[in-house]
Amino acid sequence: MELRDHPLLSFGGHHSWPPAWTWIGGKSDKYLTGEIGVLKELRMPESPAKKFYMIIEYEESLYMGCLLTREPAFCGQKAGSRVRRHPIYKDSSYSMIM
């Protein structure tokens, strides 16, 4: 199953994919939307939480997005997984660490 379609990626009745992307460094700050870039890293808050962060690279810049879920265990499972550096394009066959 592709991460974008996972039923646990929702919070408060709203699907959290794709995340809103925030520029965190690199060549230039662009407004990004949708499935774009190459996944570089997953991060999880130190305490148990119902969210985790994705860091992507796009055109020599880094962006961070937050994914919300109903289950803290799901976040821990994803954040503890090995990140494969693949494009996250809508039409790719990429199935992020599922």
Side-chain angles (χ1 to χ4, degrees), residues 23-87:
W23 180 74
I24 59 172
K27 192 172 182 178
S28 63
D29 181 2
K30 295 182 180 178
Y31 178 73
L32 302 182
T33 59
E35 298 179 356
I36 195 163
V38 176
L39 179 65
K40 302 301 270 186
E41 184 178 343
L42 293 176
R43 291 187 185 176
M44 177 136 172
E46 289 187 26
S47 61
K50 294 182 177 183
K51 63 184 172 184
F52 61 98
Y53 301 95
M54 299 175 64
I55 297 175
I56 64 165
E57 183 177 20
Y58 179 75
E59 294 185 355
E60 300 180 41
S61 292
L62 295 175
Y63 295 84
M64 181 181 285
C66 179
L67 292 173
L68 302 174
T69 180
R70 298 186 306 247
E71 298 292 330
F74 179 77
C75 290
Q77 178 188 22
K78 295 301 139 208
S81 299
R82 184 174 62 94
V83 174
R84 290 178 268 160
R85 286 158 176 76
H86 290 285

